[in-house]
Amino acid sequence: MNGVSFVASREEVSDRHIAPVLDVHANYAAIMPFGFIQDLDSPQLIFDSDRQWYGERREGVRQYIEGMHQNGVSVMLKPQIWIWDGKFTGNMKMPTEEDWEKLEASYEKFILLYAELAEETQSDIYCIGTELKTFVDERPEFWGNLIQKVKQVYHGKLTYAANWDEYAKTPFWSELDYIGVNAYFPLCEKQNPTVETLTKGWKPWKDKMKQLSKHVDKPILFTEFGYRSMDFTGKKPWLVDRNQERVNLEAQARATQVLFDEFWEQDWFAGGFVWKWFMQHEQVGGADDNRFTPQNKPAELVIRQQYAQGNTSRR
């Protein structure tokens, strides 16, 4: 899977927005509707609301999926939670049993709503959650039941997007089709890392993923991967803060190339979705941007060259 994480917008998607996705030879796009939570201990999930952007609601998600399919791009539907102020979803924890049960009821409605849409639109993969470590750790029975309910509604491939520091302990991989990993692994502390440094940094992580894949007999899928175009890009690749680190376009391109070199030809690896890809291609990224998007940067060329090789999608 040569994928992009396609960011929701206020407007409908058109062929003009999809053309740059085709131009980098992506054969998959992750479509990501959002539900919102007030705080780390708030049990109420707000989703499919008129106050949300078009692309974050059910009607918009359907339109995005249909647009991708009409252009020959397969889809992973990946509903996600956003906590106000950008707090990390993996730390979400309810104070009482009653609140856990409220969250579970709310989250189940959210996931089943989009599982039904995934079935209606014949989406190719459905992702049942993203970076919810504490929720998974504290409520394993809920997740086992949720997976069975999703399977009654949706009959395609399933995954879960585990953060890089949670995937090894996620308990339900045997029930899904792919071991989903958000691959923001720390690789090195260098300001401007070399290919050799980055490659060496991957070895312990790569070995552990290979072992898990063989043990569970499921392929690894990078449900998200990517690097910021800034100095120290391999140090804490998960950072989303608006820091002042110097723009380093080549470091982003180099790190992206090393990831492709290390994983894309492995027989236990299914591919991945670069984080992240915006609809308004001409207006994002570029030479002064130190954020994740590869758009209009050297990393975009790296992705285009890799995806153009046309590796067969392993389904």
Short mmCIF file of all heavy atoms in Angstrom, two decimals, residues 203-260:
data_model
loop_
_atom_site.label_atom_id
_atom_site.label_comp_id
_atom_site.label_asym_id
_atom_site.label_seq_id
_atom_site.Cartn_x
_atom_site.Cartn_y
_atom_site.Cartn_z
N LYS A 203 17.35 -0.40 13.22
CA LYS A 203 17.55 -1.84 13.37
C LYS A 203 16.80 -2.47 14.54
O LYS A 203 16.08 -3.46 14.35
CB LYS A 203 19.04 -2.18 13.45
CG LYS A 203 19.28 -3.69 13.42
CD LYS A 203 20.71 -4.07 13.33
CE LYS A 203 20.89 -5.56 13.07
NZ LYS A 203 19.92 -6.47 13.68
N PRO A 204 16.93 -1.95 15.78
CA PRO A 204 16.21 -2.62 16.88
C PRO A 204 14.70 -2.60 16.72
O PRO A 204 14.01 -3.58 17.03
CB PRO A 204 16.65 -1.84 18.12
CG PRO A 204 17.16 -0.53 17.61
CD PRO A 204 17.72 -0.81 16.26
N TRP A 205 14.17 -1.50 16.21
CA TRP A 205 12.72 -1.40 16.02
C TRP A 205 12.26 -2.36 14.93
O TRP A 205 11.23 -3.04 15.07
CB TRP A 205 12.33 0.03 15.63
CG TRP A 205 12.75 1.09 16.59
CD1 TRP A 205 13.59 2.15 16.34
CD2 TRP A 205 12.34 1.25 17.96
NE1 TRP A 205 13.73 2.95 17.44
CE2 TRP A 205 12.97 2.41 18.46
CE3 TRP A 205 11.50 0.53 18.80
CZ2 TRP A 205 12.79 2.87 19.75
CZ3 TRP A 205 11.33 0.96 20.11
CH2 TRP A 205 11.96 2.11 20.56
N LYS A 206 13.03 -2.42 13.86
CA LYS A 206 12.67 -3.29 12.73
C LYS A 206 12.68 -4.76 13.16
O LYS A 206 11.76 -5.53 12.82
CB LYS A 206 13.67 -3.05 11.59
CG LYS A 206 13.38 -3.83 10.32
CD LYS A 206 14.41 -3.47 9.26
CE LYS A 206 14.23 -4.28 8.00
NZ LYS A 206 15.27 -3.96 6.99
N ASP A 207 13.68 -5.16 13.92
CA ASP A 207 13.77 -6.55 14.37
C ASP A 207 12.56 -6.93 15.21
O ASP A 207 12.00 -8.03 15.07
CB ASP A 207 15.05 -6.75 15.18
CG ASP A 207 16.31 -6.70 14.32
OD1 ASP A 207 16.19 -6.77 13.08
OD2 ASP A 207 17.41 -6.57 14.90
N LYS A 208 12.13 -6.02 16.10
CA LYS A 208 10.99 -6.31 16.97
C LYS A 208 9.69 -6.42 16.17
O LYS A 208 8.85 -7.29 16.44
CB LYS A 208 10.85 -5.23 18.04
CG LYS A 208 11.94 -5.29 19.12
CD LYS A 208 11.83 -4.12 20.08
CE LYS A 208 12.97 -4.15 21.09
NZ LYS A 208 12.97 -2.95 21.95
N MET A 209 9.52 -5.55 15.18
CA MET A 209 8.31 -5.63 14.36
C MET A 209 8.27 -6.92 13.55
O MET A 209 7.22 -7.56 13.42
CB MET A 209 8.22 -4.40 13.45
CG MET A 209 7.65 -3.18 14.15
SD MET A 209 7.41 -1.77 13.04
CE MET A 209 9.05 -1.07 13.03
N LYS A 210 9.41 -7.29 13.01
CA LYS A 210 9.48 -8.54 12.24
C LYS A 210 9.11 -9.72 13.12
O LYS A 210 8.33 -10.60 12.71
CB LYS A 210 10.88 -8.71 11.66
CG LYS A 210 11.03 -9.98 10.82
CD LYS A 210 12.42 -10.08 10.24
CE LYS A 210 12.57 -11.36 9.40
NZ LYS A 210 13.92 -11.47 8.80
N GLN A 211 9.63 -9.76 14.32
CA GLN A 211 9.34 -10.86 15.25
C GLN A 211 7.85 -10.93 15.57
O GLN A 211 7.24 -12.01 15.58
CB GLN A 211 10.14 -10.69 16.54
CG GLN A 211 11.63 -10.96 16.39
CD GLN A 211 12.41 -10.54 17.63
OE1 GLN A 211 11.85 -10.20 18.67
NE2 GLN A 211 13.73 -10.56 17.52
N LEU A 212 7.25 -9.77 15.84
CA LEU A 212 5.82 -9.75 16.16
C LEU A 212 4.99 -10.21 14.96
O LEU A 212 4.04 -10.99 15.11
CB LEU A 212 5.38 -8.35 16.60
CG LEU A 212 3.89 -8.22 16.95
CD1 LEU A 212 3.52 -9.08 18.15
CD2 LEU A 212 3.52 -6.77 17.21
N SER A 213 5.35 -9.73 13.78
CA SER A 213 4.63 -10.12 12.56
C SER A 213 4.66 -11.63 12.37
O SER A 213 3.63 -12.25 12.06
CB SER A 213 5.25 -9.42 11.35
OG SER A 213 4.63 -9.85 10.16
N LYS A 214 5.82 -12.22 12.56
CA LYS A 214 5.94 -13.67 12.40
C LYS A 214 5.16 -14.41 13.49
O LYS A 214 4.52 -15.43 13.24
CB LYS A 214 7.42 -14.08 12.45
CG LYS A 214 8.29 -13.46 11.37
CD LYS A 214 7.91 -13.90 9.98
CE LYS A 214 8.88 -13.34 8.94
NZ LYS A 214 8.43 -13.59 7.55
N HIS A 215 5.22 -13.88 14.72
CA HIS A 215 4.54 -14.52 15.85
C HIS A 215 3.03 -14.53 15.67
O HIS A 215 2.36 -15.55 15.92
CB HIS A 215 4.93 -13.81 17.15
CG HIS A 215 4.22 -14.33 18.35
ND1 HIS A 215 4.46 -15.58 18.89
CD2 HIS A 215 3.25 -13.78 19.13
CE1 HIS A 215 3.68 -15.78 19.94
NE2 HIS A 215 2.93 -14.70 20.11
N VAL A 216 2.48 -13.38 15.26
CA VAL A 216 1.02 -13.26 15.12
C VAL A 216 0.55 -13.72 13.75
O VAL A 216 -0.63 -13.98 13.53
CB VAL A 216 0.58 -11.79 15.38
CG1 VAL A 216 -0.92 -11.64 15.34
CG2 VAL A 216 1.11 -11.30 16.72
N ASP A 217 1.50 -13.83 12.82
CA ASP A 217 1.21 -14.19 11.42
C ASP A 217 0.30 -13.16 10.76
O ASP A 217 -0.67 -13.49 10.07
CB ASP A 217 0.59 -15.59 11.34
CG ASP A 217 0.61 -16.14 9.92
OD1 ASP A 217 1.48 -15.74 9.12
OD2 ASP A 217 -0.27 -16.96 9.58
N LYS A 218 0.63 -11.89 10.99
CA LYS A 218 -0.06 -10.77 10.35
C LYS A 218 1.00 -9.79 9.85
O LYS A 218 2.01 -9.59 10.53
CB LYS A 218 -0.98 -10.04 11.33
CG LYS A 218 -1.98 -10.92 12.05
CD LYS A 218 -3.15 -11.30 11.18
CE LYS A 218 -4.15 -12.14 11.99
NZ LYS A 218 -5.33 -12.51 11.20
N PRO A 219 0.76 -9.15 8.71
CA PRO A 219 1.74 -8.17 8.23
C PRO A 219 1.68 -6.85 9.00
O PRO A 219 0.63 -6.48 9.52
CB PRO A 219 1.35 -7.95 6.77
CG PRO A 219 -0.10 -8.32 6.71
CD PRO A 219 -0.33 -9.37 7.76
N ILE A 220 2.80 -6.18 9.07
CA ILE A 220 2.88 -4.83 9.64
C ILE A 220 2.43 -3.83 8.59
O ILE A 220 2.84 -3.88 7.43
CB ILE A 220 4.32 -4.49 10.07
CG1 ILE A 220 4.83 -5.47 11.13
CG2 ILE A 220 4.42 -3.04 10.54
CD1 ILE A 220 4.31 -5.27 12.51
N LEU A 221 1.58 -2.89 8.99
CA LEU A 221 1.15 -1.78 8.15
C LEU A 221 1.45 -0.48 8.87
O LEU A 221 1.01 -0.30 10.01
CB LEU A 221 -0.36 -1.89 7.87
CG LEU A 221 -1.01 -0.71 7.13
CD1 LEU A 221 -0.46 -0.58 5.71
CD2 LEU A 221 -2.53 -0.87 7.10
N PHE A 222 2.19 0.42 8.25
CA PHE A 222 2.42 1.73 8.84
C PHE A 222 1.19 2.59 8.58
O PHE A 222 1.07 3.24 7.54
CB PHE A 222 3.69 2.37 8.27
CG PHE A 222 4.98 1.82 8.85
CD1 PHE A 222 6.21 2.21 8.33
CD2 PHE A 222 4.97 0.94 9.91
CE1 PHE A 222 7.39 1.71 8.85
CE2 PHE A 222 6.15 0.43 10.45
CZ PHE A 222 7.37 0.82 9.91
N THR A 223 0.26 2.59 9.54
CA THR A 223 -0.97 3.37 9.41
C THR A 223 -0.67 4.86 9.34
O THR A 223 -1.49 5.63 8.84
CB THR A 223 -1.91 3.05 10.59
OG1 THR A 223 -1.14 2.82 11.79
CG2 THR A 223 -2.73 1.81 10.31
N GLU A 224 0.48 5.26 9.88
CA GLU A 224 1.05 6.60 9.64
C GLU A 224 2.57 6.47 9.64
O GLU A 224 3.13 5.70 10.42
CB GLU A 224 0.66 7.60 10.74
CG GLU A 224 -0.82 7.92 10.83
CD GLU A 224 -1.15 8.81 12.04
OE1 GLU A 224 -0.22 9.47 12.57
OE2 GLU A 224 -2.32 8.81 12.46
N PHE A 225 3.21 7.24 8.77
CA PHE A 225 4.66 7.41 8.86
C PHE A 225 5.00 8.78 8.29
O PHE A 225 4.25 9.34 7.49
CB PHE A 225 5.43 6.32 8.10
CG PHE A 225 5.36 6.41 6.60
CD1 PHE A 225 6.30 7.14 5.88
CD2 PHE A 225 4.35 5.77 5.89
CE1 PHE A 225 6.24 7.23 4.50
CE2 PHE A 225 4.28 5.86 4.51
CZ PHE A 225 5.23 6.59 3.81
N GLY A 226 6.13 9.32 8.72
CA GLY A 226 6.54 10.61 8.18
C GLY A 226 7.49 11.33 9.11
O GLY A 226 7.68 10.93 10.26
N TYR A 227 8.08 12.39 8.59
CA TYR A 227 9.07 13.18 9.33
C TYR A 227 8.83 14.66 9.08
O TYR A 227 8.39 15.05 8.00
CB TYR A 227 10.49 12.81 8.88
CG TYR A 227 10.82 11.37 9.17
CD1 TYR A 227 10.60 10.38 8.22
CD2 TYR A 227 11.29 10.99 10.43
CE1 TYR A 227 10.86 9.06 8.50
CE2 TYR A 227 11.56 9.67 10.71
CZ TYR A 227 11.34 8.70 9.74
OH TYR A 227 11.60 7.38 10.04
N ARG A 228 9.17 15.47 10.06
CA ARG A 228 9.13 16.91 9.88
C ARG A 228 10.34 17.36 9.09
O ARG A 228 11.42 16.77 9.19
CB ARG A 228 9.07 17.60 11.24
CG ARG A 228 7.84 17.16 12.00
CD ARG A 228 7.04 18.14 12.70
NE ARG A 228 7.33 19.53 12.66
CZ ARG A 228 7.06 20.35 13.67
NH1 ARG A 228 6.56 19.87 14.80
NH2 ARG A 228 7.28 21.63 13.57
N SER A 229 10.16 18.39 8.31
CA SER A 229 11.26 18.93 7.50
C SER A 229 12.03 19.94 8.34
O SER A 229 11.99 21.15 8.10
CB SER A 229 10.72 19.56 6.23
OG SER A 229 9.63 20.42 6.51
N MET A 230 12.76 19.41 9.34
CA MET A 230 13.47 20.28 10.27
C MET A 230 14.69 19.55 10.84
O MET A 230 14.83 18.33 10.70
CB MET A 230 12.54 20.69 11.42
CG MET A 230 12.14 19.57 12.35
SD MET A 230 11.02 20.13 13.66
CE MET A 230 11.12 18.72 14.78
N ASP A 231 15.59 20.31 11.46
CA ASP A 231 16.71 19.71 12.18
C ASP A 231 16.18 18.74 13.25
O ASP A 231 15.08 18.92 13.77
CB ASP A 231 17.55 20.79 12.86
CG ASP A 231 18.42 21.57 11.89
OD1 ASP A 231 18.58 21.13 10.73
OD2 ASP A 231 18.94 22.63 12.29
N PHE A 232 17.01 17.75 13.57
CA PHE A 232 16.66 16.74 14.59
C PHE A 232 15.40 15.96 14.21
O PHE A 232 14.66 15.52 15.08
CB PHE A 232 16.49 17.39 15.97
CG PHE A 232 17.71 18.11 16.47
CD1 PHE A 232 17.81 19.49 16.39
CD2 PHE A 232 18.79 17.41 17.01
CE1 PHE A 232 18.94 20.17 16.84
CE2 PHE A 232 19.92 18.08 17.47
CZ PHE A 232 20.00 19.45 17.38
N THR A 233 15.18 15.75 12.93
CA THR A 233 13.94 15.10 12.49
C THR A 233 13.81 13.67 12.99
O THR A 233 12.70 13.17 13.13
CB THR A 233 13.82 15.15 10.96
OG1 THR A 233 12.50 14.76 10.57
CG2 THR A 233 14.83 14.21 10.28
N GLY A 234 14.93 13.00 13.29
CA GLY A 234 14.87 11.62 13.77
C GLY A 234 14.86 11.48 15.27
O GLY A 234 14.82 10.37 15.79
N LYS A 235 14.89 12.60 16.01
CA LYS A 235 15.01 12.54 17.47
C LYS A 235 13.67 12.20 18.14
O LYS A 235 13.58 11.24 18.91
CB LYS A 235 15.54 13.87 18.01
CG LYS A 235 15.81 13.87 19.51
CD LYS A 235 16.41 15.20 19.96
CE LYS A 235 16.67 15.21 21.46
NZ LYS A 235 17.27 16.50 21.90
N LYS A 236 12.66 13.00 17.87
CA LYS A 236 11.32 12.75 18.39
C LYS A 236 10.34 12.98 17.25
O LYS A 236 9.65 14.00 17.19
CB LYS A 236 10.99 13.69 19.57
CG LYS A 236 11.85 13.45 20.81
CD LYS A 236 11.44 14.41 21.93
CE LYS A 236 12.26 14.15 23.19
NZ LYS A 236 11.88 15.09 24.28
N PRO A 237 10.24 12.03 16.33
CA PRO A 237 9.45 12.26 15.11
C PRO A 237 7.96 12.49 15.34
O PRO A 237 7.27 12.91 14.41
CB PRO A 237 9.69 10.97 14.30
CG PRO A 237 10.96 10.42 14.83
CD PRO A 237 10.97 10.75 16.29
N TRP A 238 7.50 12.25 16.55
CA TRP A 238 6.07 12.43 16.84
C TRP A 238 5.71 13.87 17.18
O TRP A 238 4.54 14.21 17.30
CB TRP A 238 5.66 11.53 18.00
CG TRP A 238 6.43 11.79 19.27
CD1 TRP A 238 6.12 12.70 20.24
CD2 TRP A 238 7.64 11.17 19.69
NE1 TRP A 238 7.06 12.67 21.25
CE2 TRP A 238 8.01 11.73 20.94
CE3 TRP A 238 8.47 10.17 19.15
CZ2 TRP A 238 9.15 11.35 21.64
CZ3 TRP A 238 9.60 9.79 19.86
CH2 TRP A 238 9.93 10.36 21.08
N LEU A 239 6.68 14.75 17.34
CA LEU A 239 6.40 16.10 17.81
C LEU A 239 5.52 16.87 16.82
O LEU A 239 5.83 16.98 15.64
CB LEU A 239 7.70 16.88 18.02
CG LEU A 239 8.54 16.51 19.25
CD1 LEU A 239 9.78 17.39 19.29
CD2 LEU A 239 7.73 16.68 20.54
N VAL A 240 4.45 17.44 17.34
CA VAL A 240 3.56 18.23 16.50
C VAL A 240 3.57 19.72 16.89
O VAL A 240 2.83 20.52 16.32
CB VAL A 240 2.10 17.71 16.57
CG1 VAL A 240 2.02 16.30 16.01
CG2 VAL A 240 1.58 17.75 18.01
N ASP A 241 4.43 20.08 17.84
CA ASP A 241 4.44 21.45 18.34
C ASP A 241 4.92 22.43 17.26
O ASP A 241 5.63 22.06 16.33
CB ASP A 241 5.35 21.57 19.57
CG ASP A 241 6.79 21.19 19.26
OD1 ASP A 241 7.00 20.27 18.45
OD2 ASP A 241 7.70 21.82 19.81
N ARG A 242 4.56 23.68 17.44
CA ARG A 242 4.99 24.71 16.49
C ARG A 242 6.34 25.27 16.93
O ARG A 242 6.46 26.42 17.33
CB ARG A 242 3.94 25.82 16.38
CG ARG A 242 2.65 25.33 15.77
CD ARG A 242 1.79 26.46 15.26
NE ARG A 242 0.66 25.94 14.50
CZ ARG A 242 0.69 25.63 13.20
NH1 ARG A 242 1.81 25.79 12.52
NH2 ARG A 242 -0.37 25.17 12.59
N ASN A 243 7.35 24.43 16.87
CA ASN A 243 8.66 24.85 17.35
C ASN A 243 9.41 25.67 16.29
O ASN A 243 8.97 25.80 15.15
CB ASN A 243 9.49 23.63 17.79
CG ASN A 243 9.82 22.71 16.64
OD1 ASN A 243 10.31 23.14 15.60
ND2 ASN A 243 9.55 21.42 16.80
N GLN A 244 10.54 26.19 16.71
CA GLN A 244 11.32 27.07 15.84
C GLN A 244 12.55 26.37 15.26
O GLN A 244 13.48 27.03 14.81
CB GLN A 244 11.77 28.31 16.63
CG GLN A 244 10.61 29.13 17.18
CD GLN A 244 9.67 29.59 16.09
OE1 GLN A 244 10.10 30.15 15.07
NE2 GLN A 244 8.37 29.35 16.28
N GLU A 245 12.55 25.02 15.29
CA GLU A 245 13.68 24.31 14.71
C GLU A 245 13.84 24.72 13.24
O GLU A 245 12.88 24.89 12.50
CB GLU A 245 13.48 22.80 14.80
CG GLU A 245 13.61 22.23 16.19
CD GLU A 245 15.03 22.26 16.75
OE1 GLU A 245 15.96 22.66 16.01
OE2 GLU A 245 15.19 21.91 17.92
N ARG A 246 15.09 24.83 12.84
CA ARG A 246 15.42 25.29 11.48
C ARG A 246 14.87 24.31 10.45
O ARG A 246 14.94 23.09 10.60
CB ARG A 246 16.94 25.41 11.35
CG ARG A 246 17.43 26.02 10.05
CD ARG A 246 18.94 26.19 10.09
NE ARG A 246 19.60 24.89 10.10
CZ ARG A 246 19.97 24.22 9.00
NH1 ARG A 246 19.71 24.73 7.80
NH2 ARG A 246 20.57 23.05 9.09
N VAL A 247 14.31 24.87 9.38
CA VAL A 247 13.83 24.04 8.28
C VAL A 247 15.00 23.23 7.70
O VAL A 247 16.08 23.78 7.46
CB VAL A 247 13.19 24.91 7.18
CG1 VAL A 247 12.86 24.08 5.95
CG2 VAL A 247 11.94 25.61 7.71
N ASN A 248 14.78 21.94 7.53
CA ASN A 248 15.78 21.06 6.95
C ASN A 248 15.08 20.10 6.01
O ASN A 248 14.67 19.00 6.40
CB ASN A 248 16.54 20.32 8.05
CG ASN A 248 17.76 19.58 7.52
OD1 ASN A 248 17.79 19.17 6.37
ND2 ASN A 248 18.75 19.39 8.38
N LEU A 249 14.92 20.54 4.77
CA LEU A 249 14.18 19.76 3.78
C LEU A 249 14.88 18.46 3.44
O LEU A 249 14.24 17.42 3.23
CB LEU A 249 13.98 20.59 2.51
CG LEU A 249 13.24 21.92 2.67
CD1 LEU A 249 13.23 22.67 1.34
CD2 LEU A 249 11.81 21.71 3.16
N GLU A 250 16.21 18.50 3.38
CA GLU A 250 16.96 17.31 2.99
C GLU A 250 16.90 16.24 4.07
O GLU A 250 16.90 15.04 3.76
CB GLU A 250 18.41 17.69 2.68
CG GLU A 250 18.56 18.56 1.44
CD GLU A 250 17.93 17.94 0.20
OE1 GLU A 250 17.98 16.70 0.05
OE2 GLU A 250 17.37 18.70 -0.62
N ALA A 251 16.87 16.64 5.34
CA ALA A 251 16.76 15.64 6.42
C ALA A 251 15.45 14.88 6.32
O ALA A 251 15.41 13.65 6.51
CB ALA A 251 16.89 16.32 7.78
N GLN A 252 14.37 15.59 6.03
CA GLN A 252 13.08 14.93 5.84
C GLN A 252 13.14 13.95 4.68
O GLN A 252 12.68 12.79 4.79
CB GLN A 252 11.99 15.97 5.59
CG GLN A 252 10.60 15.36 5.40
CD GLN A 252 9.59 16.38 4.89
OE1 GLN A 252 9.90 17.21 4.04
NE2 GLN A 252 8.37 16.31 5.42
N ALA A 253 13.69 14.38 3.56
CA ALA A 253 13.79 13.53 2.38
C ALA A 253 14.65 12.30 2.66
O ALA A 253 14.32 11.17 2.29
CB ALA A 253 14.35 14.33 1.20
N ARG A 254 15.75 12.51 3.37
CA ARG A 254 16.69 11.42 3.68
C ARG A 254 16.02 10.39 4.59
O ARG A 254 16.12 9.18 4.35
CB ARG A 254 17.93 12.01 4.35
CG ARG A 254 19.19 11.18 4.22
CD ARG A 254 20.37 11.92 4.85
NE ARG A 254 20.58 13.24 4.26
CZ ARG A 254 20.65 14.38 4.95
NH1 ARG A 254 20.55 14.38 6.27
NH2 ARG A 254 20.83 15.52 4.33
N ALA A 255 15.36 10.87 5.63
CA ALA A 255 14.70 9.96 6.56
C ALA A 255 13.59 9.17 5.87
O ALA A 255 13.39 7.98 6.15
CB ALA A 255 14.14 10.75 7.74
N THR A 256 12.86 9.83 4.98
CA THR A 256 11.80 9.14 4.23
C THR A 256 12.38 8.06 3.33
O THR A 256 11.86 6.94 3.27
CB THR A 256 11.00 10.16 3.41
OG1 THR A 256 10.49 11.18 4.27
CG2 THR A 256 9.85 9.50 2.69
N GLN A 257 13.47 8.37 2.66
CA GLN A 257 14.12 7.39 1.78
C GLN A 257 14.62 6.18 2.57
O GLN A 257 14.46 5.03 2.14
CB GLN A 257 15.29 8.02 1.03
CG GLN A 257 15.94 7.09 0.02
CD GLN A 257 15.00 6.69 -1.10
OE1 GLN A 257 14.53 7.54 -1.85
NE2 GLN A 257 14.68 5.40 -1.20
N VAL A 258 15.22 6.43 3.74
CA VAL A 258 15.72 5.33 4.56
C VAL A 258 14.56 4.43 5.00
O VAL A 258 14.68 3.19 4.99
CB VAL A 258 16.50 5.87 5.78
CG1 VAL A 258 16.75 4.76 6.80
CG2 VAL A 258 17.82 6.47 5.33
N LEU A 259 13.44 5.01 5.38
CA LEU A 259 12.29 4.21 5.77
C LEU A 259 11.84 3.31 4.62
O LEU A 259 11.59 2.11 4.81
CB LEU A 259 11.15 5.12 6.23
CG LEU A 259 9.89 4.45 6.77
CD1 LEU A 259 9.28 5.24 7.91
CD2 LEU A 259 8.84 4.28 5.67
N PHE A 260 11.77 3.87 3.42
CA PHE A 260 11.41 3.05 2.26
C PHE A 260 12.42 1.93 2.05
O PHE A 260 12.05 0.77 1.82
CB PHE A 260 11.34 3.92 1.01
CG PHE A 260 10.12 4.81 0.92
CD1 PHE A 260 10.22 6.08 0.36
CD2 PHE A 260 8.88 4.39 1.36
CE1 PHE A 260 9.12 6.91 0.26
CE2 PHE A 260 7.76 5.21 1.26
CZ PHE A 260 7.87 6.47 0.71
#
